[in-house]
Amino acid sequence: MKIGIVGGTGDIGEGMAMRLAPHFDVLVGSREKEKAEISCQQGNETLKKRGHECYLSAASNQKAIDDAEIVILAIPFRHLAGTLETLHGFDDKIVVSPINPMEKREFFVFVPPPEGSAALLVKKILPERARVCSAFNTIAANKWKALDEELVYSVPVCSDDAAAKQQVMKVINTISKLQAFDAGPLAVSAMVESLTPLLLNIARYNRMRDVGIQFR
Amino acid sequence: MKIGIVGGTGDIGEGMAMRLAPHFDVLVGSREKEKAEISCQQGNETLKKRGHECYLSAASNQKAIDDAEIVILAIPFRHLAGTLETLHGFDDKIVVSPINPMEKREFFVFVPPPEGSAALLVKKILPERARVCSAFNTIAANKWKALDEELVYSVPVCSDDAAAKQQVMKVINTISKLQAFDAGPLAVSAMVESLTPLLLNIARYNRMRDVGIQFR
């Protein structure tokens, strides 16, 4: 299966690509293909050193959509609408939003768009045939990148498309020790997205780093 | 230290009282004192059988406030404003809200009041000198009651009163294997309260029971 990462050279995307590459064909998308090429070259060297026979492929963001079955939108909320405007071809693709609309004020605050959540905004912007899911919201960029550490976290997944949700949950369950949980329809994504500013507050006020969650 | 539970014979309050009794003097408050007396008699028998030398005391909700240093509001959100109207004497008391404003629709939904959260509503209703905290939001009634089970959960605590927050965190850390986390000011309580409907959705869609959380 091919997974395309829009924003694959960004803070979250880069580590995500490295974690996915041992299990899936990964297309690292970027606005600037040259940036993707440098990132993939470095990533492939690291993967080879770690004994993995797998390849990250550099791509434009558009190609990362066109050639993939699952597309992960690894972009910050403030660039979400602008980036999606420049892209097309989402029909029948599984589109995963790990995006959390939040701001750092006196503390970290959940600031959802009028639609209720980033995932619901994605659904509104994309064509009706895009199969939108939210997932991976609460895993910190540093944790994705720390390849020597297992990711022992729970990952809630929301979608109105049951089959797409099942496929995304399967992908999640192949990565490190992540455990996928069905969190219900896409409307529940607001509760999931607001977890991330909460975890950032917990980290800040308890002098911790990169706090994640487990359901139990 | 004396802890008073307003609504101490309710679904959450009853188990909470049993878990607190081995460590603190617990006043079980109820609108009907007779109900509190029956509940305390049963509770004390159970505690004695389990080898604890401790006592639950029955009280009116008002006495549970008057005689305690920490008051826990173990009441459902729909009764919150009405109950607080009938009570007084909150000046200088530490008041803990474990209350989650939510509704069961197609799925569980977070439905905060205009103030932003139940805890912020409590703060608005009570006199300025009440020391309002939110805590215990995500622990299910059944888990409080299952005295043979350890509670291995994380408990986020919010308050604008640093000393009150520290005291509540100490209380939390004495109960079973609960671990308190400073989640920041009371305004963060909205993110904590919305966790509970999320956990109920997770339980429902994954056929689990009484799902809790751990930060890690």
Side-chain angles (χ1 to χ4, degrees), chain A residues 140-154:
Chain A
N142 285 333
K143 291 292 180 184
W144 284 115
K145 286 179 196 165
L147 300 182
D148 289 328
E149 284 181 43
E150 293 282 10
L151 301 172
V152 192
Y153 298 120
S154 299

Side-chain angles (χ1 to χ4, degrees), chain A residues 19-20 23 136 144 151 171-178:
Chain A
R19 296 278 192 172
L20 288 164
H23 312 286
F136 300 122
W144 284 115
L151 301 172
V171 168
I172 291 165
N173 288 331
T174 60
I175 305 173
S176 191
K177 297 193 171 168
L178 294 184

